[in-house]
Coordinates of all heavy atoms in Angstrom, one line a residue:
M1 N 0.9 -1.2 0.0 CA -0.1 0.0 0.0 C 0.9 1.2 0.0 O 1.8 1.3 0.7 CB -0.9 0.0 1.3 CG -2.0 1.0 1.2 SD -3.2 0.9 2.6 CE -3.5 -0.8 2.9
P2 N 0.5 2.2 -0.9 CA 1.3 3.5 -0.8 C 1.5 4.1 0.5 O 0.5 4.2 1.3 CB 0.7 4.4 -2.0 CG -0.1 3.4 -2.7 CD -0.6 2.3 -1.7
K3 N 2.6 4.7 0.8 CA 2.8 5.6 1.9 C 2.8 7.0 1.5 O 3.5 7.3 0.6 CB 4.1 5.1 2.7 CG 4.0 3.8 3.4 CD 5.2 3.5 4.3 CE 5.1 2.3 5.1 NZ 4.8 1.0 4.3
V4 N 2.2 7.8 2.4 CA 2.2 9.3 2.2 C 2.9 9.9 3.3 O 2.5 9.6 4.5 CB 0.8 9.8 1.9 CG1 0.8 11.3 1.8 CG2 0.0 9.1 0.8
T5 N 3.8 10.8 3.0 CA 4.5 11.5 4.1 C 4.1 13.0 4.0 O 4.1 13.6 2.9 CB 6.0 11.4 4.0 OG1 6.4 10.1 4.2 CG2 6.8 12.2 5.0
F6 N 3.8 13.6 5.2 CA 3.6 15.1 5.3 C 4.9 15.6 5.9 O 5.1 15.4 7.0 CB 2.4 15.4 6.0 CG 1.1 15.2 5.3 CD1 -0.1 15.4 6.0 CD2 1.0 14.7 4.0 CE1 -1.4 15.3 5.4 CE2 -0.2 14.6 3.4 CZ -1.4 14.8 4.1
S7 N 5.7 16.2 5.0 CA 7.2 16.5 5.6 C 7.2 17.5 6.7 O 7.9 17.4 7.6 CB 8.0 16.9 4.3 OG 7.4 18.1 3.7
R8 N 6.3 18.6 6.7 CA 6.4 19.6 7.7 C 5.9 19.0 9.1 O 6.4 19.3 10.1 CB 5.5 20.7 7.3 CG 6.2 21.6 6.3 CD 5.6 23.0 6.1 NE 5.9 23.5 4.9 CZ 5.1 24.2 4.1 NH1 4.0 24.3 4.3 NH2 5.7 24.7 2.9
A9 N 4.9 18.1 8.9 CA 4.2 17.7 10.2 C 5.0 16.4 10.7 O 4.8 16.0 11.8 CB 2.8 17.2 9.9
G10 N 5.9 15.8 9.8 CA 6.7 14.7 10.2 C 5.8 13.5 10.3 O 6.1 12.7 11.2
I11 N 4.8 13.2 9.5 CA 3.8 12.2 9.6 C 3.9 11.4 8.3 O 3.9 11.9 7.3 CB 2.3 12.7 9.8 CG1 2.3 13.5 11.1 CG2 1.4 11.7 9.8 CD1 1.0 14.4 11.1
T12 N 3.8 10.0 8.5 CA 3.8 9.2 7.5 C 2.5 8.2 7.7 O 2.4 7.7 8.8 CB 5.0 8.3 7.1 OG1 6.1 9.2 6.9 CG2 4.9 7.4 6.0
F13 N 1.7 7.9 6.7 CA 0.5 7.0 6.9 C 0.4 6.3 5.6 O 0.8 6.7 4.5 CB -0.7 7.9 7.2 CG -1.0 9.0 6.4 CD1 -1.8 8.9 5.3 CD2 -0.5 10.2 6.6 CE1 -2.1 9.9 4.4 CE2 -0.8 11.3 5.8 CZ -1.6 11.1 4.6
E14 N -0.4 5.2 5.7 CA -0.7 4.4 4.5 C -2.0 4.9 3.8 O -2.9 5.4 4.4 CB -0.9 2.9 4.8 CG 0.4 2.4 5.3 CD 0.3 0.8 5.4 OE1 -0.8 0.3 5.8 OE2 1.3 0.1 5.2
C15 N -2.0 4.9 2.4 CA -3.2 5.3 1.7 C -3.7 4.2 0.9 O -3.0 3.8 -0.1 CB -2.8 6.6 0.9 SG -4.2 7.3 0.1
P16 N -4.8 3.6 1.2 CA -5.5 2.6 0.3 C -5.7 3.1 -1.1 O -5.9 4.3 -1.3 CB -6.8 2.3 1.1 CG -6.6 2.8 2.4 CD -5.7 4.0 2.3
P17 N -5.6 2.2 -2.1 CA -5.8 2.6 -3.5 C -7.0 3.4 -3.8 O -7.1 4.2 -4.7 CB -5.6 1.3 -4.3 CG -5.1 0.3 -3.3 CD -5.4 0.7 -1.9
D18 N -8.1 3.1 -3.1 CA -9.4 3.8 -3.4 C -9.7 5.0 -2.5 O -10.7 5.5 -2.4 CB -10.5 2.8 -3.2 CG -10.6 2.2 -1.9 OD1 -9.6 2.3 -1.2 OD2 -11.6 1.5 -1.5
S19 N -8.6 5.5 -1.8 CA -8.8 6.6 -0.9 C -7.9 7.8 -1.4 O -6.8 7.5 -2.0 CB -8.3 6.3 0.5 OG -9.1 5.4 1.3
T20 N -8.4 8.9 -1.2 CA -7.7 10.1 -1.6 C -6.7 10.3 -0.5 O -6.8 9.9 0.7 CB -8.4 11.4 -1.8 OG1 -9.1 11.7 -0.5 CG2 -9.5 11.2 -2.8
V21 N -5.6 11.2 -0.8 CA -4.7 11.5 0.3 C -5.4 12.2 1.4 O -5.1 11.9 2.6 CB -3.5 12.5 -0.3 CG1 -2.7 13.1 0.8 CG2 -2.7 11.6 -1.2
L22 N -6.4 13.1 1.2 CA -7.0 13.8 2.2 C -7.8 12.8 3.1 O -7.8 12.8 4.3 CB -8.0 14.9 1.7 CG -8.8 15.6 2.6 CD1 -8.0 16.4 3.5 CD2 -9.9 16.6 1.9
E23 N -8.6 11.9 2.4 CA -9.3 10.8 3.2 C -8.4 10.0 4.1 O -8.7 9.7 5.2 CB -10.1 10.1 2.2 CG -11.2 10.6 1.5 CD -11.8 9.9 0.5 OE1 -11.2 8.9 -0.1 OE2 -12.9 10.2 0.0
A24 N -7.3 9.5 3.5 CA -6.4 8.7 4.2 C -5.8 9.4 5.5 O -5.5 8.9 6.5 CB -5.3 8.1 3.3
A25 N -5.5 10.8 5.2 CA -4.9 11.5 6.3 C -5.8 11.7 7.4 O -5.5 11.6 8.6 CB -4.5 12.9 5.8
Q26 N -7.2 12.0 7.0 CA -8.3 12.1 8.1 C -8.4 10.8 8.8 O -8.5 10.7 10.2 CB -9.5 12.6 7.5 CG -9.4 14.0 7.0 CD -10.6 14.4 6.1 OE1 -11.3 13.6 5.5 NE2 -11.1 15.7 6.3
A27 N -8.3 9.7 8.1 CA -8.5 8.3 8.7 C -7.3 8.1 9.7 O -7.5 7.4 10.7 CB -8.6 7.3 7.7
A28 N -6.2 8.7 9.4 CA -5.0 8.5 10.2 C -5.0 9.4 11.4 O -4.0 9.4 12.2 CB -3.7 8.6 9.3
G29 N -5.9 10.3 11.5 CA -6.1 11.1 12.6 C -5.3 12.6 12.5 O -5.1 13.2 13.4
V30 N -4.9 12.8 11.1 CA -4.2 14.1 11.0 C -5.2 15.3 11.1 O -6.3 15.2 10.5 CB -3.6 14.2 9.6 CG1 -2.8 15.5 9.4 CG2 -2.5 12.9 9.3
Q31 N -4.9 16.3 11.9 CA -5.8 17.3 12.2 C -5.3 18.6 11.5 O -4.2 18.7 11.1 CB -5.8 17.6 13.7 CG -6.1 16.4 14.6 CD -7.5 16.2 14.8 OE1 -8.3 17.2 15.1 NE2 -7.9 15.0 15.0
G32 N -6.3 19.4 11.2 CA -6.0 20.8 10.8 C -5.6 21.0 9.3 O -5.1 22.0 8.9
L33 N -5.9 20.0 8.5 CA -5.7 20.2 7.0 C -6.7 21.2 6.4 O -7.9 21.0 6.6 CB -5.7 18.9 6.4 CG -4.7 17.8 6.7 CD1 -4.9 16.5 6.0 CD2 -3.2 18.4 6.2
P34 N -6.3 22.0 5.5 CA -7.3 22.9 5.0 C -7.9 22.2 3.8 O -7.3 21.6 3.0 CB -6.4 24.0 4.4 CG -5.0 23.4 4.2 CD -4.8 22.3 5.2
Y35 N -9.2 22.3 3.7 CA -9.9 21.7 2.6 C -11.4 22.4 2.6 O -11.8 22.8 3.7 CB -10.0 20.2 2.6 CG -10.9 19.6 3.8 CD1 -12.2 19.3 3.6 CD2 -10.2 19.3 4.9 CE1 -12.9 18.8 4.6 CE2 -11.0 18.8 6.0 CZ -12.3 18.5 5.8 OH -13.1 18.0 6.8
S36 N -12.0 22.2 1.5 CA -13.5 22.7 1.4 C -14.3 21.8 0.5 O -15.0 21.0 1.0 CB -13.4 24.1 0.9 OG -14.8 24.6 0.8
C37 N -14.1 22.0 -0.9 CA -14.9 21.2 -1.8 C -14.8 19.7 -1.8 O -15.7 19.0 -2.1 CB -14.8 21.8 -3.2 SG -13.3 21.4 -3.9
Q38 N -13.7 19.2 -1.5 CA -13.3 17.8 -1.6 C -13.5 17.3 -3.1 O -13.8 16.1 -3.2 CB -13.9 17.0 -0.6 CG -13.6 17.4 0.8 CD -14.1 16.4 1.9 OE1 -13.8 15.3 1.9 NE2 -15.1 17.0 2.7
G39 N -13.5 18.2 -4.0 CA -13.9 17.7 -5.4 C -12.8 18.3 -6.4 O -13.1 18.2 -7.6
G40 N -11.7 18.9 -6.0 CA -10.7 19.3 -6.8 C -11.0 20.6 -7.6 O -10.4 20.9 -8.6
T41 N -11.9 21.4 -7.0 CA -12.3 22.7 -7.7 C -11.9 23.9 -7.0 O -11.8 25.0 -7.6 CB -13.8 22.6 -8.1 OG1 -14.5 22.5 -6.9 CG2 -14.2 21.6 -9.0
C42 N -11.8 23.9 -5.6 CA -11.7 25.2 -4.9 C -10.2 25.5 -4.7 O -10.0 26.8 -4.2 CB -12.4 25.0 -3.6 SG -11.7 24.1 -2.3
R43 N -9.3 24.7 -4.8 CA -7.9 24.8 -4.5 C -7.5 25.0 -3.0 O -6.3 25.1 -2.7 CB -7.4 26.2 -5.3 CG -7.6 26.1 -6.7 CD -7.4 27.5 -7.3 NE -6.1 27.8 -7.1 CZ -5.0 27.7 -8.0 NH1 -5.4 27.3 -9.3 NH2 -3.8 28.2 -7.7
T44 N -8.5 25.0 -2.1 CA -8.2 25.2 -0.7 C -7.1 24.3 -0.1 O -6.3 24.6 0.6 CB -9.5 25.1 0.1 OG1 -10.4 25.9 -0.4 CG2 -9.2 25.3 1.6
C45 N -7.1 23.0 -0.6 CA -6.2 22.1 -0.1 C -4.8 22.0 -0.9 O -3.9 21.2 -0.4 CB -6.9 20.6 -0.2 SG -7.1 20.1 -2.0
A46 N -4.7 22.9 -1.9 CA -3.5 22.7 -2.7 C -2.2 22.8 -1.8 O -2.0 23.5 -0.9 CB -3.4 23.9 -3.6
A47 N -1.2 21.9 -2.3 CA 0.0 21.8 -1.6 C 1.0 21.2 -2.6 O 0.6 20.5 -3.6 CB 0.0 20.9 -0.3
K48 N 2.3 21.5 -2.5 CA 3.4 21.0 -3.2 C 3.5 19.5 -2.9 O 3.6 19.1 -1.6 CB 4.7 21.7 -3.1 CG 4.7 23.0 -3.7 CD 5.5 23.1 -4.9 CE 5.6 24.5 -5.6 NZ 6.9 25.1 -5.6
G49 N 3.5 18.6 -3.8 CA 3.7 17.2 -3.7 C 4.5 16.5 -4.7 O 4.8 17.0 -5.8
S50 N 5.1 15.4 -4.3 CA 5.8 14.6 -5.3 C 5.7 13.2 -5.1 O 5.1 12.7 -4.1 CB 7.3 14.8 -5.1 OG 7.8 14.5 -3.8
G51 N 6.0 12.3 -6.0 CA 5.7 10.9 -6.0 C 4.6 10.6 -7.2 O 4.0 11.5 -7.8
E52 N 4.3 9.3 -7.3 CA 3.4 8.9 -8.3 C 2.0 8.9 -7.8 O 1.6 8.3 -6.8 CB 3.7 7.4 -8.7 CG 3.1 6.9 -10.0 CD 3.5 5.5 -10.3 OE1 4.5 5.1 -9.8 OE2 2.7 4.9 -11.1
M53 N 1.2 9.8 -8.5 CA -0.2 9.9 -8.0 C -1.0 10.2 -9.3 O -0.6 10.9 -10.2 CB -0.4 10.9 -6.9 CG -0.2 12.3 -7.2 SD -0.1 13.3 -5.7 CE 1.5 13.4 -5.3
E54 N -2.3 10.0 -9.2 CA -3.3 10.3 -10.3 C -3.5 11.9 -10.2 O -3.8 12.4 -9.1 CB -4.5 9.6 -10.3 CG -4.4 8.2 -10.6 CD -5.7 7.4 -10.6 OE1 -6.8 8.0 -10.6 OE2 -5.7 6.2 -10.6
T55 N -3.5 12.5 -11.4 CA -3.7 14.0 -11.3 C -4.8 14.4 -12.3 O -5.1 15.7 -12.4 CB -2.3 14.7 -11.8 OG1 -2.0 14.2 -13.1 CG2 -1.2 14.5 -10.9
E56 N -5.5 13.5 -12.9 CA -6.6 13.9 -13.9 C -7.7 14.8 -13.3 O -8.2 15.5 -14.0 CB -7.2 12.6 -14.4 CG -6.4 11.7 -15.3 CD -5.7 10.7 -14.5 OE1 -6.2 10.1 -13.5 OE2 -4.4 10.4 -14.7
E57 N -8.0 14.6 -12.1 CA -9.1 15.3 -11.5 C -8.6 16.7 -10.9 O -9.5 17.4 -10.3 CB -9.8 14.5 -10.4 CG -10.5 13.2 -11.0 CD -11.2 12.5 -9.9 OE1 -12.2 13.0 -9.3 OE2 -10.8 11.3 -9.8
M58 N -7.4 17.0 -11.0 CA -6.9 18.2 -10.4 C -7.2 19.5 -11.4 O -6.3 20.2 -11.8 CB -5.4 18.2 -10.1 CG -5.2 17.0 -9.1 SD -3.5 17.0 -8.5 CE -3.6 15.3 -7.6
L59 N -8.5 19.5 -11.6 CA -8.9 20.6 -12.7 C -8.6 22.1 -12.3 O -8.6 22.9 -13.1 CB -10.4 20.4 -13.0 CG -10.8 19.0 -13.5 CD1 -12.3 18.9 -13.6 CD2 -10.1 18.7 -14.8
A60 N -8.5 22.3 -11.0 CA -8.4 23.6 -10.5 C -6.9 24.1 -10.7 O -6.6 25.3 -10.4 CB -8.8 23.8 -9.0
L61 N -6.0 23.2 -11.0 CA -4.6 23.6 -11.1 C -4.3 23.8 -12.7 O -4.8 23.0 -13.5 CB -3.7 22.5 -10.5 CG -3.9 22.3 -9.0 CD1 -2.9 21.1 -8.7 CD2 -3.4 23.6 -8.3
T62 N -3.5 24.8 -13.0 CA -3.1 25.0 -14.3 C -1.9 24.0 -14.6 O -1.3 23.4 -13.8 CB -2.6 26.4 -14.6 OG1 -1.4 26.6 -13.8 CG2 -3.5 27.4 -14.2
P63 N -1.7 23.8 -16.0 CA -0.6 22.9 -16.4 C 0.7 23.3 -15.7 O 1.4 22.6 -15.3 CB -0.7 22.9 -17.9 CG -2.0 23.2 -18.2 CD -2.5 24.2 -17.1
S64 N 1.0 24.7 -15.7 CA 2.2 25.1 -15.1 C 2.3 24.9 -13.5 O 3.3 24.5 -13.1 CB 2.5 26.7 -15.4 OG 1.6 27.4 -14.8
E65 N 1.1 25.0 -12.9 CA 1.2 24.7 -11.5 C 1.5 23.2 -11.3 O 2.2 22.8 -10.3 CB -0.2 25.1 -10.9 CG -0.4 26.5 -10.7 CD -1.7 27.0 -10.3 OE1 -2.8 26.3 -10.7 OE2 -1.9 27.9 -9.6
L66 N 0.9 22.3 -12.2 CA 1.1 21.0 -12.0 C 2.7 20.6 -12.2 O 3.3 19.9 -11.5 CB 0.3 20.1 -13.1 CG -1.2 19.9 -12.7 CD1 -2.0 19.5 -13.8 CD2 -1.3 19.0 -11.5
R67 N 3.2 21.4 -13.3 CA 4.6 21.1 -13.6 C 5.5 21.6 -12.3 O 6.5 21.1 -12.1 CB 5.0 21.8 -14.8 CG 4.7 21.0 -16.2 CD 5.6 21.7 -17.3 NE 5.2 23.2 -17.5 CZ 4.1 23.6 -18.1 NH1 3.2 22.7 -18.7 NH2 3.8 24.9 -18.3
E68 N 5.0 22.6 -11.7 CA 5.7 23.2 -10.5 C 5.6 22.4 -9.2 O 6.2 22.5 -8.3 CB 5.3 24.5 -10.2 CG 5.6 25.6 -11.2 CD 4.9 26.8 -11.0 OE1 4.2 27.0 -10.0 OE2 5.0 27.8 -12.0
G69 N 4.7 21.3 -9.3 CA 4.6 20.3 -8.3 C 3.4 20.5 -7.4 O 3.3 19.8 -6.4
W70 N 2.5 21.4 -7.7 CA 1.3 21.7 -6.9 C 0.3 20.4 -7.2 O 0.2 20.0 -8.3 CB 0.6 22.9 -7.3 CG 1.3 24.1 -6.7 CD1 2.2 24.9 -7.4 CD2 1.4 24.7 -5.5 NE1 2.8 25.8 -6.7 CE2 2.3 25.8 -5.4 CE3 0.8 24.4 -4.3 CZ2 2.6 26.5 -4.4 CZ3 0.9 25.1 -3.2 CH2 1.9 26.1 -3.1
R71 N -0.3 20.0 -6.1 CA -1.2 18.9 -6.1 C -2.4 19.2 -5.2 O -2.4 20.0 -4.4 CB -0.6 17.6 -5.7 CG 0.7 17.1 -6.5 CD 0.2 16.6 -7.9 NE 1.3 16.1 -8.7 CZ 2.0 16.8 -9.5 NH1 1.7 18.1 -9.7 NH2 3.0 16.3 -10.2
L72 N -3.4 18.5 -5.5 CA -4.7 18.7 -4.6 C -5.0 17.4 -4.0 O -5.5 16.4 -4.4 CB -5.9 19.0 -5.5 CG -5.8 20.3 -6.3 CD1 -6.9 20.4 -7.4 CD2 -5.8 21.5 -5.4
P73 N -4.6 17.3 -2.6 CA -4.8 16.1 -1.8 C -6.2 15.5 -1.8 O -6.4 14.3 -1.6 CB -4.3 16.5 -0.4 CG -3.4 17.7 -0.6 CD -4.0 18.4 -1.8
C74 N -7.2 16.3 -2.0 CA -8.6 15.9 -2.0 C -8.9 15.0 -3.2 O -9.9 14.3 -3.2 CB -9.6 17.0 -1.9 SG -9.7 18.1 -3.4
V75 N -8.2 15.1 -4.3 CA -8.5 14.2 -5.4 C -7.2 13.5 -5.9 O -7.1 13.0 -7.0 CB -9.0 15.1 -6.6 CG1 -10.5 15.5 -6.4 CG2 -8.2 16.3 -6.9
A76 N -6.2 13.4 -4.9 CA -5.0 12.7 -5.2 C -5.1 11.2 -4.7 O -5.2 11.0 -3.6 CB -3.8 13.3 -4.6
F77 N -4.9 10.3 -5.8 CA -4.8 8.9 -5.4 C -3.4 8.4 -5.7 O -2.9 8.2 -6.8 CB -5.8 8.1 -6.3 CG -7.3 8.4 -6.0 CD1 -7.9 9.4 -6.8 CD2 -8.0 7.7 -5.2 CE1 -9.2 9.8 -6.6 CE2 -9.3 8.0 -5.0 CZ -10.0 9.0 -5.7
P78 N -2.7 8.1 -4.6 CA -1.3 7.8 -4.7 C -1.2 6.4 -5.6 O -2.0 5.4 -5.3 CB -0.8 7.6 -3.3 CG -1.7 8.4 -2.5 CD -3.0 8.3 -3.2
R79 N -0.2 6.3 -6.4 CA 0.1 5.0 -7.1 C 1.5 4.5 -6.7 O 2.0 3.6 -7.3 CB -0.1 5.2 -8.5 CG -1.5 5.4 -9.0 CD -2.4 4.3 -8.6 NE -3.9 4.5 -8.7 CZ -4.8 4.7 -7.8 NH1 -4.4 4.7 -6.5 NH2 -6.0 4.9 -8.1
G80 N 2.1 5.1 -5.7 CA 3.3 4.8 -5.1 C 3.5 5.7 -4.0 O 2.7 6.5 -3.7
D81 N 4.7 5.6 -3.3 CA 4.9 6.5 -2.1 C 5.1 8.0 -2.6 O 5.5 8.3 -3.5 CB 6.2 6.1 -1.4 CG 6.1 4.7 -0.7 OD1 4.9 4.1 -0.7 OD2 7.1 4.2 -0.3
C82 N 4.3 8.8 -1.7 CA 4.2 10.3 -2.1 C 4.7 11.0 -0.9 O 4.6 10.6 0.2 CB 2.8 10.6 -2.5 SG 2.2 9.7 -4.0
Q83 N 5.0 12.4 -1.1 CA 5.4 13.3 -0.1 C 4.8 14.7 -0.5 O 4.7 15.0 -1.6 CB 6.9 13.4 -0.1 CG 7.4 14.2 1.1 CD 8.9 14.0 1.3 OE1 9.7 14.2 0.3 NE2 9.4 13.8 2.5
F84 N 4.2 15.2 0.6 CA 3.6 16.6 0.4 C 4.3 17.6 1.5 O 4.7 17.1 2.5 CB 2.1 16.5 0.8 CG 1.2 15.9 -0.3 CD1 1.1 14.5 -0.5 CD2 0.6 16.7 -1.2 CE1 0.3 14.0 -1.5 CE2 -0.1 16.3 -2.2 CZ -0.2 14.8 -2.3
E85 N 4.4 18.8 1.0 CA 4.9 19.9 1.8 C 3.7 20.2 2.8 O 3.2 21.4 2.6 CB 5.5 21.0 1.1 CG 6.7 20.5 0.3 CD 7.3 21.7 -0.4 OE1 6.9 22.8 -0.3 OE2 8.1 21.4 -1.3
L86 N 3.3 19.5 3.7 CA 2.2 19.8 4.5 C 2.7 19.5 5.9 O 3.6 18.7 6.2 CB 1.0 18.9 4.3 CG 0.2 19.4 3.0 CD1 -0.9 18.3 2.7 CD2 -0.5 20.8 3.4
Ligands
FES101 S1 -10.6 20.8 -1.1 FE1 -11.4 21.9 -2.8 S2 -9.7 21.4 -4.3 FE2 -9.2 20.2 -2.6

């Protein structure tokens, strides 16, 4: 199962294949994450991230933001270990 690390918080948790990073973080007890729509449109949850993850639903991000590493944890499905600047 992919592992997700929030580097600033110093937390690592497992993310099931059918869970978003946000859902898995909440299930792991991570508190205080910013989010609103949970649908990839409001950008509230945006954070820099790296690692293999699906990005098709990150419609609120421009191609250049995606290239710069911005990701939306509310619609991010890890396909390998990932790290976020959270
Ligand atoms: S919570 Fe709205 S884009 Fe993630």
Side-chain angles (χ1 to χ4, degrees):
M1 194 179 312
K3 288 187 173 54
V4 177
T5 298
F6 287 177
S7 56
R8 287 194 195 135
I11 297 168
T12 298
F13 53 91
E14 293 189 327
C15 186
D18 58 345
S19 288
T20 66
V21 169
L22 179 62
E23 290 168 341
Q26 290 171 327
V30 179
Q31 308 266 326
L33 291 173
Y35 68 92
S36 180
C37 72
Q38 299 186 63
T41 58
C42 75
R43 306 169 60 102
T44 304
C45 67
K48 289 249 179 122
S50 59
E52 193 181 341
M53 69 187 92
E54 291 184 15
T55 57
E56 291 89 37
E57 294 181 57
M58 299 186 192
L59 302 173
L61 297 176
T62 65
S64 66
E65 286 173 327
L66 283 167
R67 278 195 302 275
E68 290 167 10
W70 289 96
R71 299 288 183 266
L72 298 174
C74 73
V75 288
F77 293 90
R79 294 299 174 249
D81 292 351
C82 296
Q83 191 167 43
F84 283 83
E85 293 179 15
L86 284 169

